[in-house]
Amino acid sequence: MELSRRELLTRTGQAAAVATAASALTIGTAQATPGEGVRLTQGTNISVSRSRDGKWLAIDLVTAIWVLPAAGGVARKLTDELQDATLPSFGPGGQIAFQSYRDGNYHLYVIGLDGRGLKQLTSGKYDHREPAFSPDGTKIAFVSDRAGSYGVHVLDVATGRITQLTGVPDDAAAPQWSRDGKRIIFVTGTATVDVVSLEGTRERLVTAPAGAQLFGAAFGPGEQPSYTLMRPGQADLMLGTTAVVTGQDVFGFAPVWDGDSVLYTADGRIRSRANGSTKDIPFEATVPVKKVERHRTKNLSGGPVKGIASPVVSSDGTIAFRALNAIHLLKNGKTTKLTDGGYFDSDPDFSPDGTKLVYASDRTGVAQLWLRDLKTGEEKLYAPAPGAQTTPRFSPDGTKVAYVDQDGQVWVVDAAGRRQITPTLFQPGRPTWSKDGNTVALAAVKPFSRRFREGTSQILSVDLASGELRYTEPMPFRSIATRGDDGPVWSPDGKHIAFVVESVAYVVPVDAKGNFTGEPRQVTREVTDSLAWDGTDLVYLNNGRLRKSTLDGRTSTIRVNLNWRKPQAPERKIVHVGAYWDGEAESLRHNVDIVVQDGKVAEVRPHRGRADVDLSGVTAIPGLIDAHNHWHLRGRQWGARQGNVWLAYGITTVRSPGDPVYQMVETREALAAGTLTGPRFYATGEAVDGSRVYYNFMRPTLSKAQLDLELRRAHELGYDMIKTYVRLPVELQRAAVQRSKVPLSSHYLYPAANLGMDGMEHVGATNRLGYSHTVTRVGKAYQDVVSLFTASGMSMTPTLFHNRALFAEDKSLVTDERTRVLFPPWEYERYLADATSGGGTFSAAILKNWVEFALAVHRGGGLVICGTDAPLDAPATATHMNLRAMVKYGFTPREALITATRNPARWLGLPLGAIKQGAPADIAFVRGNPLQDIKAAADVQQVMVGGRLHAVDELLAPYRGQQVLSASAALEPLASAENKHWWHEPEWAEHVCCDH
């Protein structure tokens, strides 16, 4: 039975607390009316500008420009959804400048108050952002990364001439003019407020206090600097050193001053403050939405293996690859399993003479290099190291191996020891060697600026003689498709480098150091991944098929002849439990038998007779579902541990909205085939991104033609969903919805809610704006956001990263043996340090606001699904920390558990998340009553997936008491290992998940 909200709150004794917590979100919430859309009366992170005659206001609500009378009223929309327009600035004659992401880069536009005269002012492959009309209307100040970092520029409106006022190493944002039009105030980074004259004279006005950030600078009365001072959970509008507005969620955009009165946005509203009093300026805007139609995810049952990961070719044409959790060899049409699949063996590479194979295996507890003699079968460790050793590659003479460690550092090992050759890199690709062995190249990201993390994936070359590092674009403003196995790959004769750009293969002639000596030439015209050379031909993957192409484009298929099938379901079992929760009830039912047959729940009945499994001292609950994680973001480093840790904490299903495609498909097949231990795995490949990328598993997509290739890969490999990412423009996002046959999600709520998207990931994480229209910097959301979620039915996955603030009061999950044993040592050390510091920079105030946002959506009838973004947050333990945070700040334990059981099962369209007749037997057996104490949900004793029972001790056993290996000698690093660039940092160095 489903209780009403009033009944629920009355029974749980939380009515007063929740009413207070959720009131700011739910008061005035509009409902969708068929044919009329959703009426919005509040806006999250909106900015405002006032016309020169004082009669009109312009705001940016749900990524469009709207105008309304200065006294308030019904807003009129000026721009369409494809324009993706924000940050309006009034100029003369009712002209409004704004930034638009229409073509996949930010550019400046103007439009008239009447919606006519739309004109684009800037163009090109660089971003042009945050326009501000000068007082006389002849110029527009803006910021752009066109000079190598974000600097302040001025556009002459009449001539189009652009003048740069500040540049490298600036990180400028949001310029605004002085009243006389001679100076421009702006924020640098989020740490200072500076002013620059049109002649270039510069002065620093404000420096942020420790732990604070600055946003939205403007000139106030007497030319004093005005800005928003942001602290965790607090945002104040400042004038000089005085807080003019405090106790409100000030949005951090430049206020509009008129004498001592100020116009600004806060708490979801447009506000005017004068003479010590504040007045709201009401607005109303109506937007259309499409109601989500749920898809049904398909379960894999078997067939030809499509999960062929990281193929390589030997000098005699033998192919090695990873599939079904083992290394395989393909020779003369016959596929042979080479390793036993007991651990995580990956990324093989042949010695130049083809007699040996090097690969990474975590059989000693962490990924290390192993060398196998292919004639004798003898295996031995090859130059062990303290950390992980992944993606190895033999040098052309066979005396050295290059590999990447868990921090993204590239090393070269030989008989003498290990030598670091690069600084820490952000998710680099697999190394490749020049023919003379003097240069190592790999894919690495190079951002456009420090302010926004995205860039292009380029070829990074390391000269082992001089220690020089050199970045080379594969083509102007283009990225190597993914920084995984998509190149660069040097040809055996050293004359060419192959790589994938926009999902097809290119080959470019190079000299001995990898310098291009000609133009890249397209070789393939079909979806191309995971390049390897076979003499002068290319071997690659095409949507689960192994293919070969000559350099003149003649293609053929290489038969792998490898199949898989689901294992037979375990024998019928009767499990006696002291209590169980079916996933719906308000309370536990006691002393029952759960009858499991053919991997499903056949019956739940009062206990009688003798059971096959006596768990009379525990409570059975549906296995938990973590609906947002990335198995292979650090998959090679976690190895086989990862499946065990999910199960050990009672998580029986996980959903990944982004992973390296063939790593994902291989793991999905291995889990379904039972050759890898772990939960059910529903996933997608690389997210479909735009012109700039950050993570190594994003697909830079620049056209509808390329989008068709991406969608073809998704459909032929059977993706469970598709994620469109941060820099994909609205037009391509819409096309993805129209052309796709599976659910889609993104980081955006609108216009996604009108395009037919199925969900939004995070409360409001990484966004091309640099902030979110879904949640403010202090973690709050307003009526517009809650209404759009509840009216559209789009799912919301909160990923409550600030859950680590709870470490200040409870570290039990960190010190738990399951965490200590199953986390890789370096992961555990970082996790323990975070907990010991009480959560570090994570904010309980922001966490509270995030949870209240999710609670308003949940109780408004929206679909909230629990996810963590692991391993950016900790796998498995973060699921429970999310649940605990929900309960601490307003959810009942039952409501929190529903976000990790029934709700994500509904999103997947599968009968998971319940213990009832016919449901898959995915069950966590825990001590205590999680409906009363949410912490009991983590006290897992045993776990069942598809009727197969795992004891926690069994899951820990392979990693208990692992011996620390004696590492090979660490030699003096090359000069190229010195960190000279700010973007050279490990993937875990910053909590980039939480940027807005």
Side-chain angles (χ1 to χ4, degrees):
M1 180 182 71
E2 191 73 20
L3 293 181
S4 70
R5 182 183 176 201
R6 182 182 299 276
E7 290 171 324
L8 182 66
L9 297 179
T10 301
R11 291 192 184 189
T12 59
Q14 297 183 38
V18 174
T20 300
S23 62
L25 303 180
T26 57
I27 289 176
T29 297
Q31 299 299 315
T33 304
E36 295 183 8
V38 176
R39 187 172 64 92
L40 309 180
T41 58
Q42 295 180 12
T44 301
N45 266 352
I46 56 173
S47 67
V48 63
S49 179
R50 184 163 53 204
S51 64
R52 300 299 171 88
D53 61 9
K55 294 180 179 180
W56 295 94
L57 301 180
I59 59 173
D60 52 355
L61 181 69
V62 290
T63 60
I65 306 301
W66 304 69
V67 292
L68 65 150
V74 176
R76 177 166 45 88
K77 191 176 181 181
L78 299 185
T79 60
D80 64 19
E81 291 177 352
L82 297 184
Q83 200 70 51
D84 196 1
T86 42
L87 299 178
S89 173
F90 263 110
Q95 289 285 295
I96 302 170
F98 60 91
Q99 64 178 21
S100 167
Y101 194 72
R102 186 174 191 119
D103 69 355
N105 283 95
Y106 274 106
H107 290 299
L108 309 185
Y109 284 73
V110 291
I111 194 170
L113 184 62
D114 58 2
R116 299 178 181 176
L118 179 67
K119 181 181 179 182
Q120 184 172 348
L121 302 180
T122 62
S123 61
K125 298 299 183 182
Y126 293 103
D127 281 347
H128 302 78
R129 297 178 180 250
E130 299 157 4
F133 260 114
S134 63
D136 64 6
T138 63
K139 302 178 184 67
I140 295 176
F142 65 97
V143 295
S144 174
D145 57 6
R146 57 194 284 142
S149 70
Y150 269 89
V152 177
H153 296 71
V154 172
L155 170 75
D156 186 289
V157 176
T159 66
R161 188 171 66 91
I162 292 174
T163 303
Q164 181 181 338
L165 296 182
T166 73
V168 178
D170 275 344
D171 221 359
Q176 295 290 318
W177 293 85
S178 61
R179 188 173 293 275
D180 62 7
K182 295 182 179 180
R183 298 188 301 160
I184 297 171
I185 193 171
F186 60 98
V187 174
T188 301
T190 57
T192 63
V193 173
D194 288 8
V195 64
V196 64
S197 71
L198 295 184
E199 290 75 34
T201 304
R202 186 162 170 177
E203 181 184 359
R204 179 142 297 165
L205 302 182
V206 182
T207 300
Q213 294 179 308
L214 308 178
F215 297 95
F219 286 105
E223 298 291 89
Q224 294 182 82
S226 175
Y227 52 93
T228 302
L229 177 64
M230 198 78 62
R231 299 182 179 90
Q234 179 181 348
D236 298 332
L237 178 60
M238 307 292 292
L239 182 61
T241 58
T242 302
V244 178
V245 175
T246 189
Q248 300 177 27
D249 182 9
V250 179
F251 287 166
F253 301 105
V256 180
W257 287 91
D258 183 7
D260 292 332
S261 69
V262 62
L263 180 71
Y264 65 101
T265 54
D267 294 343
R269 306 179 186 277
I270 308 168
R271 286 186 169 152
S272 176
R273 182 173 177 83
N275 302 319
S277 64
T278 302
K279 179 180 68 173
D280 286 347
I281 300 173
F283 67 87
E284 178 182 321
T286 301
V287 296
V289 297
K290 289 182 180 178
K291 192 73 176 178
V292 169
E293 296 181 8
R294 296 290 165 207
H295 299 70
R296 180 177 176 83
T297 303
K298 296 179 181 178
N299 281 313
L300 301 177
S301 58
V305 166
K306 294 184 177 181
I308 302 167
S310 304
V312 291
V313 187
S314 75
S315 54
D316 68 356
T318 303
I319 299 174
F321 57 89
R322 172 181 166 83
L324 298 174
N325 201 40
I327 302 295
H328 291 73
L329 292 183
L330 173 59
K331 186 173 184 177
N332 298 325
K334 181 181 179 181
T335 298
T336 305
K337 183 178 175 182
L338 196 65
T339 63
D340 64 12
Y343 288 92
F344 189 86
D345 304 330
S346 66
D347 300 295
D349 192 48
F350 290 100
S351 61
D353 62 6
T355 63
K356 296 180 177 63
L357 194 78
V358 66
Y359 65 97
S361 174
D362 67 344
R363 68 187 68 173
T364 62
V366 298
Q368 297 285 285
L369 302 184
W370 287 80
L371 192 63
R372 183 183 181 100
D373 188 305
L374 293 175
K375 292 181 179 179
T376 67
E378 179 186 357
E379 291 197 328
K380 62 181 179 180
L381 277 166
Y382 184 83
Q389 297 176 304
T390 68
T391 59
R393 188 81 77 179
F394 266 113
S395 63
D397 63 5
T399 64
K400 302 180 182 67
V401 171
Y403 72 88
V404 181
D405 72 8
Q406 74 277 2
D407 291 335
Q409 297 168 341
V410 182
W411 297 73
V412 168
V413 295
D414 58 19
R418 299 172 291 117
R419 190 184 306 275
Q420 184 181 344
I421 67 166
T422 73
T424 298
L425 303 173
F426 184 83
Q427 297 183 339
R430 190 172 186 175
T432 187
W433 292 81
S434 63
K435 182 175 175 57
D436 62 14
N438 292 328
T439 303
V440 171
L442 63 154
V445 67
K446 186 178 181 183
F448 278 79
S449 74
R450 189 188 292 265
R451 184 179 170 198
F452 295 95
R453 67 193 194 178
E454 293 84 12
T456 52
S457 293
Q458 303 186 11
I459 299 172
L460 178 61
S461 303
V462 186
D463 188 318
L464 300 182
S466 68
E468 178 193 6
L469 284 180
R470 185 182 72 256
Y471 282 91
T472 304
E473 290 181 304
M475 288 180 273
F477 295 99
R478 294 294 192 271
S479 281
I480 290 176
T482 69
R483 300 193 304 278
D485 296 316
D486 286 337
V489 186
W490 230 301
S491 62
D493 63 9
K495 296 180 179 179
H496 295 88
I497 282 178
F499 48 76
V500 178
V501 169
E502 297 178 33
S503 290
V504 293
Y506 286 80
V507 170
V508 63
V510 294
D511 64 18
K513 292 181 178 293
N515 298 304
F516 291 10
T517 58
E519 293 298 316
R521 179 167 60 88
Q522 184 176 343
V523 174
T524 63
R525 300 194 178 278
E526 61 187 3
V527 176
T528 304
D529 294 307
S530 300
L531 296 176
W533 287 93
D534 182 8
T536 59
D537 296 337
L538 285 177
V539 170
Y540 59 93
L541 293 170
N542 167 248
N543 299 347
R545 295 174 288 271
L546 201 56
R547 299 271 283 166
K548 180 186 284 192
S549 177
T550 61
L551 295 190
D552 59 5
R554 289 175 289 131
T555 60
S556 58
T557 298
I558 302 170
R559 304 295 178 186
V560 176
N561 301 316
L562 189 62
N563 295 283
W564 73 275
R565 65 179 181 178
K566 287 187 70 173
Q568 186 174 351
E571 294 181 356
R572 183 176 188 267
K573 281 189 181 70
I574 300 174
V575 183
H576 175 210
V577 294
Y580 95 108
W581 177 58
D582 65 2
E584 292 287 350
E586 299 296 326
S587 59
L588 300 181
R589 182 178 165 190
H590 294 273
N591 197 28
V592 300
D593 291 337
I594 302 173
V595 182
V596 177
Q597 188 167 345
D598 296 327
K600 297 180 180 180
V601 176
E603 183 184 5
V604 181
R605 69 191 187 198
H607 173 56
R608 65 173 184 261
R610 184 175 178 180
D612 299 303
V613 181
D614 183 9
L615 294 175
S616 54
V618 305
T619 300
I621 64 173
L624 302 181
I625 303 172
D626 188 299
H628 186 124
N629 50 78
H630 304 281
W631 190 293
H632 282 287
L633 193 149
R634 298 180 197 158
R636 290 176 168 96
Q637 296 95 312
W638 274 82
R641 295 169 177 266
Q642 187 168 179
N644 290 28
V645 75
W646 288 114
L647 292 184
Y649 277 102
I651 293 112
T652 56
T653 299
V654 296
R655 185 197 71 154
S656 166
D659 260 316
V661 54
Y662 282 97
Q663 303 293 325
M664 177 276 287
V665 175
E666 188 277 335
T667 294
R668 191 176 61 173
E669 289 179 347
L671 288 165
T675 58
L676 178 66
T677 300
R680 299 177 190 271
F681 184 37
Y682 301 98
T684 184
E686 296 90 0
V688 181
D689 210 346
S691 59
R692 303 180 181 188
V693 295
Y694 181 57
Y695 289 103
N696 62 357
F697 57 97
M698 302 301 172
R699 290 277 177 188
T701 306
L702 283 74
S703 67
K704 288 185 178 179
Q706 189 198 342
L707 179 64
D708 284 342
L709 292 180
E710 307 305 327
L711 296 180
R712 189 171 303 155
R713 180 194 292 108
H715 298 320
E716 292 190 21
L717 290 176
Y719 286 17
D720 299 304
M721 61 174 292
I722 291 172
K723 183 177 180 181
T724 60
Y725 205 58
V726 172
R727 295 278 301 198
L728 191 73
V730 173
E731 184 175 12
L732 291 183
Q733 189 180 25
R734 182 178 67 177
V737 174
Q738 294 169 342
R739 302 178 188 195
S740 178
K741 302 174 184 176
V742 297
L744 292 100
S745 72
S746 72
H747 280 198
Y748 301 108
L749 175 58
Y750 206 86
N754 193 38
L755 298 178
M757 298 286 286
D758 297 85
M760 192 192 88
E761 307 302 318
H762 316 288
V763 287
T766 312
N767 189 302
R768 55 180 168 256
L769 283 168
Y771 58 91
S772 173
H773 269 310
T774 321
V775 66
T776 68
R777 292 181 174 95
V778 300
K780 293 185 177 182
Y782 294 93
Q783 179 267 340
D784 57 332
V785 172
V786 176
S787 293
L788 289 169
F789 270 120
T790 56
S792 68
M794 283 177 63
S795 65
M796 169 196 179
T797 318
T799 62
L800 303 172
F801 299 103
H802 283 277
N803 70 73
R804 295 196 184 194
L806 301 185
F807 284 149
E809 58 192 52
D810 181 10
K811 301 178 181 62
S812 60
L813 291 174
V814 179
T815 58
D816 192 291
E817 184 191 15
R818 292 169 290 179
T819 309
R820 289 186 283 108
V821 171
L822 292 176
F823 277 39
W826 53 88
E827 294 275 359
Y828 184 70
E829 288 171 11
R830 291 198 297 267
Y831 197 44
L832 182 62
D834 223 3
T836 303
S837 68
T841 59
F842 292 95
S843 164
I846 293 177
L847 177 62
K848 177 177 182 290
N849 290 336
W850 281 4
V851 172
E852 290 173 356
F853 167 21
L855 183 61
V857 173
H858 174 74
R859 291 191 178 164
L863 188 68
V864 178
I865 58 178
C866 180
T868 57
D869 215 8
L872 295 179
D873 206 346
T877 57
T879 309
H880 290 284
M881 292 292 284
N882 272 243
L883 296 177
R884 294 177 186 188
M886 288 181 179
V887 172
K888 181 177 178 65
Y889 295 115
F891 281 75
T892 67
R894 174 180 174 273
E895 286 177 306
L897 287 169
I898 281 173
T899 72
T901 52
R902 184 187 70 190
N903 285 4
R906 179 182 163 200
W907 198 97
L908 291 167
L910 296 172
L912 303 169
I915 303 176
K916 62 182 181 181
Q917 186 176 7
D922 294 2
I923 305 170
F925 299 94
V926 305
R927 291 196 183 277
N929 182 353
L931 296 182
Q932 293 180 354
D933 180 3
I934 193 63
K935 291 182 180 180
D939 195 359
V940 178
Q941 305 301 301
Q942 298 198 49
V943 64
M944 180 179 281
V945 184
R948 186 165 280 105
L949 198 61
H950 302 271
V952 169
D953 276 351
E954 166 198 330
L955 297 169
L956 269 61
Y959 301 99
R960 277 190 174 129
Q962 291 277 0
Q963 294 184 350
V964 178
L965 298 174
S966 297
S968 57
L971 307 176
E972 188 72 19
L974 285 188
S976 52
E978 183 182 352
N979 192 356
K980 296 181 180 179
H981 299 293
W982 57 265
W983 64 88
H984 288 166
E985 61 181 12
E987 175 267 316
W988 49 265
E990 294 185 24
H991 295 288
V992 294
C993 56
C994 314
D995 294 348
H996 299 308

